[in-house]
Amino acid sequence: MVEVARGRVGAEVPLRVHSMDDPLDWIEDGSLDLVVCALAYHYVDDRLGFLKEVHRVLRPGGGMVISTSHPTNDWVRLGGSYFMDAPVTETWSRGWVITAVRCPLGRLTAEFAEAGFLIERLVEPLPIAEMASRHPEAFEKLSSQPGFILFRLLKR
């Protein structure tokens, strides 16, 4: 992903590989306006620690945008109890073995609050119309059950 990003932004933008389970020790307190965490939050082992680190580096009134797998999507796809709160390991189509945390919506929102965030906005996106012709099965599925959920969080 760093190589893809480097190809898009060029050499002058600093990029780094970093575990979200580790402190953001190169970023000063209150120095950022916005943090974006796109489809990665469900892979973090210490989510509360990560959220507290983001809270630390955001300026007062700063925000964070998180997109993640929708809890109902995991429940429908994997079965069992919707209220399951545990890591799940799967093998994806390219042979990638991934482990993600599966948990209900109440757990996600409690983590945000405990780290000092308010939910400004919650979005359950629908697929765009152009997807219907290119990926009709996925379009139909995502038109009737959410695949992802997005949160706009504000630092309290």
Side-chain angles (χ1 to χ4, degrees), residues 67-112:
S67 63
T68 189
S69 178
H70 198 291
T72 60
N73 181 44
D74 293 339
W75 174 46
V76 168
R77 189 171 55 81
L78 300 172
S81 170
Y82 167 78
F83 297 101
M84 179 182 172
D85 189 344
V88 175
T89 300
E90 299 179 89
T91 302
W92 286 5
S93 60
R94 293 186 180 186
W96 299 341
V97 177
I98 60 99
T99 299
V101 176
R102 173 183 169 183
C103 69
L105 184 59
R107 162 88 189 271
L108 289 174
T109 59
E111 291 171 353
F112 302 154

Side-chain angles (χ1 to χ4, degrees), residues 33-53:
D33 294 322
L34 178 68
V35 171
V36 176
C37 180
L39 297 177
Y41 186 69
H42 47 283
Y43 299 119
V44 179
D45 291 326
D46 182 9
R47 294 188 312 206
L48 187 56
F50 168 69
L51 290 170
K52 287 181 177 181
E53 271 295 282

